Amino acid sequence: MKKLVFTIFATMFLLCGCNKTKQFEVTLNLSNADGKSVYLFKDVNGTETFVDSTVFVGEHAVLKAGFDDPQITYFIKFSPNDKCGIMPFFTENQNATITGDLNDMPHWTCEGCPTLNELNAYHQKNLTQFEDKIMALSAEVITAYAEGDTVKGAELNEQMMTLYNAYTENNIEYIRSHPDSYLAHYLLSTMMPEMELEQVKEVYDSFTTESIYSKRVKEFIENDEVREKIIREAHSCNI
């Protein structure tokens, strides 16, 4: 199953030397992070590009980046080579604060730009309704099979997949109900590798605005080679 993906954080200004370059900051307050390195990357035309890094002092770290397109996705990583288990977010060139436990990324809370707040509310609702329950069932499935109880394992797995399908439909409905939001466009771009192509087309056709993410969805629909590459990359992060 694809690692549940899902939070976003953001930031604003700062002066840098005589050029007075505008910057935003992402402040992280994470327990169990003392001495850990943390990295900031951004999405440049589908490629993760390094922006900044630092080391936690106690529970505190600050990452900085220059102003950019508000729609660009940024990523928090704890290893520069991570492809899975990373946290994506938007900036909108405003400061943001992320709080939580290093070992419990799904329950991090974050405050910042309007889009970040929108995603945070969306994600917290999903945690309660679906994600926590799915992860709990996943742990039970693993335990059942490890103990040799294949009947129980199969029953729990069926429950988990039923819940996961409901989770997916809930996400799609959210996207349909926010056709002018680039957050909804972004969510579809992350979900499309696991959806039927006709369903991707149907949801894409409901969009009322254009964004860098809706363009990626369009390319995914139109280009078999791109579609296969995105699907392979998504499956490499499945659990």
Side-chain angles (χ1 to χ4, degrees):
M1 183 187 305
K2 192 167 71 173
K3 279 193 179 286
L4 301 170
V5 193
F6 319 77
T7 9
I8 302 184
F9 354 88
T11 45
M12 194 166 176
F13 80 108
L14 212 59
L15 301 179
C16 180
C18 296
N19 292 328
K20 297 188 177 181
T21 302
K22 291 182 177 180
Q23 291 183 312
F24 63 79
E25 295 182 355
V26 180
T27 300
L28 298 99
N29 298 311
L30 302 177
S31 58
N32 298 308
D34 186 29
K36 297 284 187 182
S37 295
V38 60
Y39 302 84
L40 181 65
F41 284 74
K42 68 178 180 180
D43 178 357
V44 179
N45 298 321
T47 300
E48 292 174 10
T49 302
F50 175 79
V51 177
D52 192 20
S53 67
T54 190
V55 176
F56 276 87
V57 177
E59 299 183 354
H60 184 71
V62 177
L63 294 162
K64 300 178 182 180
F67 279 9
D68 214 327
D69 185 332
Q71 294 181 14
I72 287 179
T73 314
Y74 285 77
F75 303 91
I76 295 291
K77 298 185 175 189
F78 293 92
S79 168
N81 298 318
D82 280 350
K83 293 297 181 184
C84 308
I86 62 178
M87 174 163 281
F89 63 98
F90 299 111
T91 69
E92 293 186 12
N93 299 320
Q94 298 180 37
N95 293 329
T97 300
I98 305 162
T99 305
D101 185 329
L102 174 68
N103 302 317
D104 190 16
M105 185 182 290
H107 291 88
W108 289 2
T109 59
C110 43
E111 300 175 352
C113 68
T115 302
L116 170 57
N117 296 338
E118 180 186 350
L119 181 69
N120 194 42
Y122 157 86
H123 179 54
Q124 292 302 318
K125 182 179 180 181
N126 269 344
L127 275 175
T128 303
Q129 289 188 330
F130 299 103
E131 295 177 16
D132 282 342
K133 296 174 183 177
I134 290 170
M135 296 307 293
L137 280 169
S138 177
E140 290 185 47
V141 169
I142 292 170
T143 298
Y145 280 114
E147 293 175 349
D149 193 341
T150 57
V151 174
K152 181 179 180 181
E155 291 175 350
L156 290 168
N157 188 67
E158 185 175 352
Q159 293 176 35
M160 181 179 67
M161 293 311 301
T162 298
L163 190 59
Y164 184 73
N165 290 336
Y167 163 80
T168 300
E169 286 303 317
N170 182 73
N171 290 341
I172 293 172
E173 182 54 38
Y174 178 90
I175 294 167
R176 284 197 185 102
S177 63
H178 296 77
D180 60 346
S181 167
Y182 68 81
L183 171 56
H185 301 179
Y186 167 77
L187 292 172
L188 181 59
S189 75
T190 65
M191 294 176 61
M192 61 190 183
E194 297 186 352
M195 296 169 59
E196 295 293 332
L197 182 59
E198 288 305 314
Q199 189 176 39
V200 176
K201 290 179 180 178
E202 180 263 318
V203 177
Y204 168 79
D205 286 342
S206 72
F207 291 164
T208 57
T209 58
E210 189 176 75
S211 69
I212 60 175
Y213 304 104
S214 68
K215 291 177 181 177
R216 289 182 189 175
V217 176
K218 182 179 181 181
E219 185 177 15
F220 176 85
I221 292 169
E222 295 177 344
N223 190 321
D224 286 339
E225 185 176 334
V226 169
R227 184 160 58 247
E228 290 174 5
K229 179 177 181 292
I230 292 173
I231 290 171
R232 285 197 305 271
E233 291 175 350
H235 288 173
S236 72
C237 284
N238 285 357
I239 60 172

